């Protein structure tokens, strides 16, 4: 699941690993998400430590009466010195960085930030941890759009370009099934629980 909205999500800023709280609307979103998910019997919930994901997960864990563990592998990509800026602002203030990003977004690492390859590595480690963790009927991960798209790429062998074209809405539900060593996509970007507030 992706976290609820922050004010910075509204203007398209690079949030990265910034300490950004949920907006008032984000709290409404996670209330709807929790009401939908409270009938699920999760064995465990994992979450990024960043406040927007952690708070979302804490509400979900309370609604589902389920244990919660913070996992740093679920952190969003560190956008370094570009955090808090929109793509337009990056283009205006740091044109050379913008050109590097446009030329090769898959290998680009912002100044003092992380490359996509680093995020893919830790997401892969988290998924391997789930695969090797023994029998679990149902687990949830509350994380970020970039991390969820990395999961999609890992599990379905999608290209960077292919995954970047797929929308991952705020407070959405994405479901995968792992059986006999294979992952299957069950649902993607499901926000049916939010229709009445849009």
């Amino acid at each position: 699941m992706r976290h609820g909205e922050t004010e910075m999500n509204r203007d398209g800023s690079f949030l990265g690993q910034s300490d950004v709280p949920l907006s008032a609307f984000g709290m409404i979103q996670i209330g709807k998400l929790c009401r939908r998910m409270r009938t699920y019997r999760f064995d465990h919930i994992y979450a990024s430590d960043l406040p927007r994901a952690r708070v979302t997960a804490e509400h979900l864990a309370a609604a589902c009466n389920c244990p919660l563990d913070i996992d740093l592998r679920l952190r969003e990509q560190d956008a370094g010195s570009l955090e808090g800026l929109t793509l337009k602002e990056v283009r205006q203030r740091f044109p050379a960085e913008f050109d590097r990003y446009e030329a090769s977004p898959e290998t680009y690492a912002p100044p003092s930030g992380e490359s996509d390859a680093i995020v893919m590595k830790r997401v892969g480690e988290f998924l391997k941890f789930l695969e090797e963790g023994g029998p679990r009927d149902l687990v949830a991960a509350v994380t970020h759009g970039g991390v969820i798209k990395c999961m999609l790429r890992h599990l379905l062998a999608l290209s960077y370009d292919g995954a970047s074209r797929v929308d991952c809405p705020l407070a959405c539900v994405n479901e995968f099934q792992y059986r006999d060593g294979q992952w299957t996509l069950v649902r993607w970007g499901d926000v049916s629980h939010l229709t009445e507030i849009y």
Side-chain angles (χ1 to χ4, degrees), residues 51 113 152 187 194:
L152 184 71
R187 77 182 80 194
L194 303 179

Side-chain angles (χ1 to χ4, degrees), residues 18-166:
S18 298
D19 185 356
V20 182
L22 294 166
S23 66
F25 187 66
M27 294 301 296
I28 293 171
Q29 287 177 319
I30 65 169
K32 299 287 186 184
L33 175 67
C34 290
R35 275 191 285 281
R36 175 184 177 177
M37 304 308 291
R38 65 185 171 194
T39 59
Y40 284 73
R41 297 293 177 254
F42 292 111
D43 294 295
H44 218 92
I45 297 173
Y46 299 95
S48 160
D49 66 318
L50 300 174
R52 56 194 187 271
R54 179 180 46 76
V55 170
T56 300
E58 287 170 351
H59 281 78
L60 181 66
C64 298
N65 191 28
C66 179
L68 168 65
D69 276 341
I70 299 301
D71 196 310
L72 299 183
R73 292 172 292 193
L74 294 173
R75 279 185 149 218
E76 184 60 286
Q77 182 176 359
D78 186 347
S81 60
L82 304 185
E83 291 197 4
L85 301 178
T86 64
L87 201 56
K88 181 179 179 181
E89 289 170 332
V90 172
R91 185 189 295 118
Q92 291 171 343
R93 298 184 198 180
F94 306 103
E97 290 300 321
F98 179 80
D99 289 345
R100 287 179 58 216
Y101 170 76
E102 285 281 284
S104 184
E106 189 171 0
T107 59
Y108 173 73
S112 304
E114 293 179 306
S115 68
D116 175 74
I118 292 173
V119 183
M120 282 290 284
K121 182 176 185 294
R122 54 183 166 83
V123 168
E125 290 169 355
F126 175 76
L127 293 171
K128 187 175 181 182
F129 158 73
L130 292 183
E131 292 169 0
E132 296 177 348
R136 292 188 179 103
D137 290 331
L138 190 62
V139 298
V142 181
T143 183
H144 310 271
V147 172
I148 294 170
K149 288 188 178 186
C150 283
M151 289 181 179
L152 184 71
R153 287 160 60 196
H154 262 287
L155 302 181
L156 302 185
L158 287 185
S159 67
Y160 179 92
D161 287 341
S164 66
R165 290 183 171 89
V166 178

Side-chain angles (χ1 to χ4, degrees), residues 160-175:
Y160 179 92
D161 287 341
S164 66
R165 290 183 171 89
V166 178
D167 191 26
C168 183
L170 293 159
C172 71
V173 176
N174 310 284
E175 184 180 348

